[in-house]
Amino acid sequence: MRLSFAIATIAALQGAAGVSLAAAAAHADASPFLATASQFLMIHAAAGVGLAALIRTTPRAKAKWLAAIALALQAGVTLFASDLAARVFLSGRLFPLAAPIGGGLTILSWCALAVWAAFAMFAANSLQKPPES
């Protein structure tokens, strides 16, 4: 699924942005907003790369759901981190409620991933042969 490469690309850009914000927090402005944005971006960059790899090994029908979840996760964390960075660099919010919307989307995406994984686990178990008696 080609979408996995787009997800990996977004994740790589999130990782680069996270390292850049960490450097800015260390050298330019010791704002806790920058440190938090940096941590969120780097953690979710790693998650994005992992999800991209999982998408590549998942059957197409299930991979579409996983890709949608991964993109929502990336959108949420990018929106959240961008709002935090805007507070430092632009002296204001990205737009009203940007951080709560991004954070909420991030949380919902993680919950959706848990549901997807649980269904995938049960589907995998139901395909196995029953034990011989």
Side-chain angles (χ1 to χ4, degrees), residues 111-122:
C111 292
L113 180 58
V115 170
W116 180 92
F119 275 103
M121 177 182 63
F122 290 125

Side-chain angles (χ1 to χ4, degrees), residues 80-95:
F80 177 76
S82 296
D83 187 64
L84 294 182
R87 292 177 193 199
V88 175
F89 296 124
L90 304 177
S91 300
R93 295 176 180 261
L94 197 58
F95 60 84

Side-chain angles (χ1 to χ4, degrees), residues 13-95:
L13 293 171
Q14 287 177 326
V19 173
S20 298
L21 290 178
H27 301 292
D29 188 333
S31 169
F33 286 139
L34 292 181
T36 299
S38 170
Q39 290 172 345
F40 268 73
L41 285 168
M42 287 191 285
I43 289 167
H44 288 84
V49 170
L51 288 170
L54 184 58
I55 289 166
R56 298 287 299 167
T57 62
T58 299
R60 191 171 189 85
K62 290 180 185 173
K64 289 179 182 180
W65 284 104
L66 187 56
I69 292 167
L71 289 170
L73 182 68
Q74 290 178 317
V77 75
T78 299
L79 183 58
F80 177 76
S82 296
D83 187 64
L84 294 182
R87 292 177 193 199
V88 175
F89 296 124
L90 304 177
S91 300
R93 295 176 180 261
L94 197 58
F95 60 84

